[in-house]
Amino acid sequence: MANVKDFSVEEKLIAVLALQKIDSKIDEIQTLKGELPMEVKDLEDEIEGLQTRINNIDVEINTINAFIEAKTNAKKDAQALIKKYEKQQDNVKNNREFEAINKEMEMQELEVRLNEKHIKDSSFDLRDRTNSRIKTEDKIKDVEEALNIKRSELEKITVETDKEEKVLSAKSVEAKEKVDARLLIAYERIRKSYRNGLAVVPIMRDSCGGCFNVIPPQRQSEIRQHKKIIVCEHCGRILVDTDLNEKVNIKA
Ligand SMILES: [Zn+2]
């Protein structure tokens, strides 16, 4: 770019400002896309977590059901024994034998009641687990709905922006060629050091558009004169006046 250095300061400023505007548009697209894939991933993870919860609940439900079944069988066994003892009592030979059978029957009656209590308690547990399963399934439906929306948003943005991004990248390369070599190095260095990627900023309400520190009137007028390139004394960003900022527009 041997002939670039012959350009006026104003031309240099316009070139670097145009580059900044193109690069900012690319940044915007990347930010837009950058958050969506993360949001999609978060929702996918959430569904996976909820699915794991359902699987755990199912294991618990199976365990409780098996327990209820075992207790129901134990109750039936005890009831069968009681029936058997009742018949035996009809045929006892003496009082002692009668009493002994009676004791056995009482034990089995206790067994029946104990099993009934277990069954009742477990039925409450079962209802509780079933309710949380329903709630978890509802939650999955909600998250899936949100996920579908985010997915189609991302798909749409990707389709829309892929083309735009390619055009802008080409424009950025083109714009770079017009920027004074030393200025370009400064631009890239400043751009990299700030998360918002702003290296060239306009004066906004008497302040630096990058760090918002006030710019003294004398300095503002120097910036407006386009006689030299002026950087913000606080953040080091290249400053341009509002008029120039509005004059330089890029079509994307
Ligand atoms: Zn600043």
Side-chain angles (χ1 to χ4, degrees), residues 123-150:
S123 301
F124 282 128
D125 282 350
L126 196 61
R127 202 186 307 160
D128 186 54
R129 299 295 191 285
T130 308
N131 281 340
S132 20
R133 196 186 194 284
I134 291 167
K135 268 186 207 147
T136 311
E137 276 193 323
D138 286 347
K139 177 84 184 142
I140 287 182
K141 270 182 211 138
D142 289 347
V143 180
E144 267 171 352
E145 218 169 281
L147 176 62
N148 286 337
I149 293 168
K150 288 284 171 200

Side-chain angles (χ1 to χ4, degrees), residues 16 23 32 39 74 97 136 184 198 204 225:
V16 78
D23 285 346
L32 201 67
E39 283 169 9
E97 209 178 316
T136 311
L184 183 63
L198 289 178
M204 284 164 75
Q225 282 164 19

Side-chain angles (χ1 to χ4, degrees), residues 13-245:
L13 280 170
I14 288 171
V16 78
L17 182 57
L19 175 62
Q20 174 70 75
K21 292 204 172 186
I22 293 163
D23 285 346
S24 287
K25 274 231 183 278
I26 296 172
D27 290 348
E28 251 174 62
I29 291 171
Q30 271 160 0
T31 306
L32 201 67
K33 278 166 77 178
E35 281 159 16
L36 271 173
M38 230 160 60
E39 283 169 9
V40 166
K41 178 80 174 58
D42 283 350
L43 291 171
E44 283 170 347
D45 288 350
E46 195 178 344
I47 290 175
E48 211 184 293
L50 290 168
Q51 196 55 58
T52 305
R53 194 190 294 173
I54 285 195
N55 294 345
N56 291 340
I57 292 172
D58 283 346
V59 170
E60 285 173 354
I61 286 176
N62 286 340
T63 308
I64 296 168
N65 275 330
F67 184 76
I68 289 176
E69 202 190 328
K71 293 299 161 188
T72 306
N73 288 335
K75 184 187 156 186
K76 275 185 199 155
D77 289 348
Q79 282 169 329
L81 275 176
I82 291 168
K83 281 231 163 73
K84 197 182 106 189
Y85 292 144
E86 275 168 357
K87 268 183 196 147
Q88 282 179 3
Q89 266 183 342
D90 293 341
N91 304 310
V92 288
K93 295 179 187 81
N94 56 46
N95 220 23
R96 240 183 81 196
E97 209 178 316
F98 184 88
E99 283 303 322
I101 292 170
N102 219 21
K103 239 189 184 113
E104 284 299 323
M105 278 174 74
E106 274 170 18
M107 288 254 298
Q108 292 309 316
E109 268 155 17
L110 262 178
E111 183 70 15
V112 169
R113 256 175 281 153
L114 188 66
N115 282 312
E116 277 171 348
K117 191 188 181 313
H118 281 315
I119 292 165
K120 196 178 155 198
D121 289 347
S122 298
S123 301
F124 282 128
D125 282 350
L126 196 61
R127 202 186 307 160
D128 186 54
R129 299 295 191 285
T130 308
N131 281 340
S132 20
R133 196 186 194 284
I134 291 167
K135 268 186 207 147
T136 311
E137 276 193 323
D138 286 347
K139 177 84 184 142
I140 287 182
K141 270 182 211 138
D142 289 347
V143 180
E144 267 171 352
E145 218 169 281
L147 176 62
N148 286 337
I149 293 168
K150 288 284 171 200
R151 265 191 190 143
S152 57
E153 256 176 58
L154 177 62
E155 216 169 286
K156 211 174 132 220
I157 285 172
T158 307
V159 169
E160 277 173 9
T161 55
D162 268 5
K163 223 163 74 190
E164 201 185 346
E165 233 182 317
K166 261 182 214 151
V167 172
L168 284 167
S169 296
K171 277 191 177 178
S172 175
V173 172
E174 214 177 290
K176 252 177 213 166
E177 283 167 11
K178 290 177 188 151
V179 178
D180 171 79
R182 272 176 57 198
L183 193 56
L184 183 63
I185 291 168
Y187 168 83
E188 284 179 334
R189 180 178 48 77
I190 303 165
R191 201 172 126 72
K192 254 185 233 139
S193 58
Y194 291 108
R195 278 183 69 189
N196 61 9
L198 289 178
V200 185
V201 290
I203 302 170
M204 284 164 75
R205 285 188 217 96
D206 298 323
S207 306
C208 163
C211 68
F212 307 110
N213 276 297
V214 173
I215 303 164
Q218 173 60 32
R219 211 163 164 77
Q220 284 189 46
S221 94
E222 278 175 52
I223 293 163
R224 271 193 298 271
Q225 282 164 19
H226 308 158
K227 292 252 172 64
K228 56 180 178 180
I229 288 160
I230 295 171
V231 298
C232 171
E233 49 193 349
H234 300 280
C235 68
R237 289 181 175 100
I238 300 156
L239 289 163
V240 293
D241 56 283
T242 324
D243 287 347
L244 193 73
N245 186 51

